[in-house]
Amino acid sequence: MATDTATAPATTETDHDHPAHLEHHFVSTEQQFDSAKLGMWLFLITEILLFAGMFVAYAVYRQWHPEAFLEASVTLDQFLGTVNTIVLLTSSLTVALSIHYIQKDEQSKSFWSLIATLALAGVFLVIKYFEYTAKFEHGIYPGALFDPHGAKYEPLANIPYVAQFFSIYFVMTGIHGVHVVVGMGIIAWIASRVYRGHFGSDYFTHVELTGLYWHLVDIIWIFLYPMLYLV
Amino acid sequence: MSQGHHIIPQRVLLGVFGSLIVLTGVTYGLAQINLGVLEVPVALAIASTKAVLVVMYFMALKYDNPVNTLTFAVGVIFVGIFITFTLFDTAFRGDIGNVSEQTVREIQREEEELQRRQEALTPEQLRVAPADFENAEPDPEAGTGADADRGGSSGGS
């Protein structure tokens, strides 16, 4: 890699002997990209560990009160959960395509892939909104506010520890939802930079790292979906 | 750019996406039928397969610098340790005491059995002190004894 700068001075844009996007403390574009990517993976690990805490809470309480979890989880809307899974998987595809296109210098296609990702993330949140409000209407709140009423939810009031399931459900999907909102902000910013032509096949670190973050949000949902809705 | 970046072909991305959708359908379908104890392991196995597909192809670890795979793998191992060792505690909590050879649950079960036997005894069987017998003596003759009996039987049931 050290030979890159020596053998490829053709990319000069200023009086400096390196491309404009290359920071001085890196030997080459390649090294800068690798460092950024490793940093991103380290960040993603902290994200995984953040969610791991909640997955552990889920595992412990499910193991303690399996009957409460079974009774409570059937009141979640499996259909909406499945649709949201497909929506997020599709958004992962579009963000992967945006990286594919930017690597081939097809900025316009890359831009529209990111916009599609943004739209799908929006769809996900809208569906989530309807799911949440359907629960709130029947007094299904996290924590001490839990007060189920209405035909489908009335029996839940008599099952001990059912509130525990909904607290875990709201906290896990809520924090996941916050990640979706943050991801939308980042994707919007990166899409605007792609539109302005900041990236191309020689430099697309930001697009790649945004993609990694978005895929992680998808992976978290891949586990939340069966755990909360299906089993 | 010495080696350049691997551009994942569109065909591969679409293939992976198709597999993810199919797996979602499979796990949804399996949730509609009762698999008993296998329900959770099967659902988690499918979710893990989907996650591996996303990590390997969409996140491109398959084509990437191995140090990123190492980073990810170490993280996942620690998640495994986190969950396993927490459950070692919580799942078996109250099983082993420090004053008896028996497990805590065995002692509890024994106490519940004794309690049940005690509740099954009639008041007659519970008469042990001479005073119990003295108070009960007039039973067969007087009406007060019938009262006492009625009270006793309702207490015993």
Side-chain angles (χ1 to χ4, degrees):
Chain A
M1 288 191 195
T3 56
D4 286 357
T5 43
T7 55
T11 47
T12 306
E13 288 184 11
T14 60
D15 54 333
H16 282 68
D17 196 16
H18 64 75
H21 57 76
L22 182 59
E23 304 281 351
H24 281 139
H25 49 277
F26 289 111
V27 170
S28 62
T29 300
E30 193 67 30
Q31 191 206 15
Q32 180 171 313
F33 178 81
D34 285 345
S35 306
K37 206 165 180 185
L38 178 59
M40 192 64 196
W41 273 103
L42 287 170
F43 169 68
L44 293 186
I45 288 303
T46 68
E47 288 280 58
I48 290 173
L49 290 173
L50 164 75
F51 279 96
M54 292 178 274
F55 281 114
V56 167
Y58 173 92
V60 167
Y61 282 105
R62 191 192 167 95
Q63 197 270 322
W64 276 346
H65 314 296
E67 64 297 327
F69 272 58
L70 281 179
E71 292 298 326
S73 67
V74 296
T75 66
L76 294 183
D77 195 323
Q78 278 197 356
F79 175 72
L80 289 184
T82 309
V83 170
N84 252 354
T85 305
I86 291 168
V87 166
L88 265 200
L89 289 174
T90 314
S91 76
S92 254
L93 171 70
T94 55
V95 89
L97 283 174
S98 82
I99 297 164
H100 171 88
Y101 289 132
I102 200 76
Q103 285 176 310
K104 288 160 75 178
D105 269 326
E106 299 181 61
Q107 272 88 353
S108 174
K109 280 185 177 179
S110 177
F111 171 73
W112 285 110
S113 300
L114 286 171
I115 295 300
T117 311
L118 205 54
L120 288 163
V123 170
F124 177 87
L125 286 180
V126 167
I127 292 178
K128 208 81 211 118
Y129 167 81
F130 283 117
E131 278 193 82
Y132 272 10
T133 47
K135 290 282 170 287
F136 292 158
E137 276 171 17
H138 293 96
I140 306 290
Y141 288 104
L145 295 169
F146 186 72
D147 174 31
H149 49 79
K152 191 173 150 196
Y153 301 96
E154 201 74 65
L156 292 180
N158 303 318
I159 305 168
Y161 302 108
V162 152
Q164 198 75 63
F165 172 84
F166 286 105
S167 291
I168 289 173
Y169 164 77
F170 280 116
V171 169
M172 292 191 89
T173 55
I175 294 182
H176 177 265
V178 169
H179 279 79
V180 172
V181 173
V182 170
M184 287 176 77
I186 296 169
I187 290 168
W189 172 55
I190 294 304
S192 89
R193 287 195 62 179
V194 169
Y195 185 78
R196 287 178 277 158
H198 288 190
F199 305 114
S201 60
D202 57 336
Y203 180 56
F204 55 88
T205 312
H206 296 58
V207 188
E208 174 100 12
L209 300 194
T210 305
L212 287 181
Y213 174 83
W214 192 253
H215 292 312
L216 184 90
V217 173
D218 189 25
I219 287 176
I220 300 292
W221 183 261
I222 283 175
F223 282 99
L224 287 181
Y225 162 64
M227 282 170 38
L228 295 172
Y229 291 84
L230 299 185
V231 296
Chain B
M1 301 274 158
S2 50
Q3 69 235 37
H5 294 279
H6 182 86
I7 302 178
I8 304 162
Q10 206 163 322
R11 189 175 38 79
V12 172
L13 293 176
L14 288 172
V16 169
F17 173 69
S19 317
L20 289 170
I21 295 296
V22 168
L23 284 171
T24 304
V26 168
T27 193
Y28 179 77
L30 287 176
Q32 310 310 316
I33 51 175
N34 189 12
L35 297 178
V37 286
L38 286 177
E39 200 136 288
V40 176
V42 167
L44 285 182
I46 293 175
S48 304
T49 312
K50 286 163 75 181
V52 167
L53 282 175
V54 171
V55 168
M56 296 301 273
Y57 293 95
F58 283 176
M59 298 170 98
L61 275 189
K62 187 173 190 273
Y63 313 99
D64 206 2
N65 199 332
V67 74
N68 293 329
T69 308
L70 178 71
T71 310
F72 177 68
V74 168
V76 170
I77 288 168
F78 273 91
V79 171
I81 292 173
F82 190 7
I83 292 180
T84 315
F85 280 73
T86 309
L87 286 177
F88 275 162
D89 170 8
T90 60
F92 303 100
R93 199 171 273 184
D95 242 16
I96 300 165
N98 54 2
V99 287
S100 167
E101 296 257 310
Q102 291 173 299
T103 66
V104 173
R105 292 221 173 101
E106 275 171 357
I107 297 171
Q108 272 176 352
R109 234 172 282 132
E110 236 165 60
E111 280 170 0
E112 281 163 15
E113 180 57 34
L114 287 174
Q115 188 69 32
R116 213 172 303 124
R117 255 190 259 168
Q118 175 146 348
E119 280 165 8
L121 293 174
T122 62
E124 286 78 19
Q125 287 171 301
L126 284 172
R127 284 185 276 195
V128 280
D132 297 335
F133 291 95
E134 276 160 30
N135 291 341
E137 217 76 75
D139 269 9
E141 298 107 53
T144 50
D147 280 352
D149 255 357
R150 209 178 299 136
S153 61
S154 69
S157 65

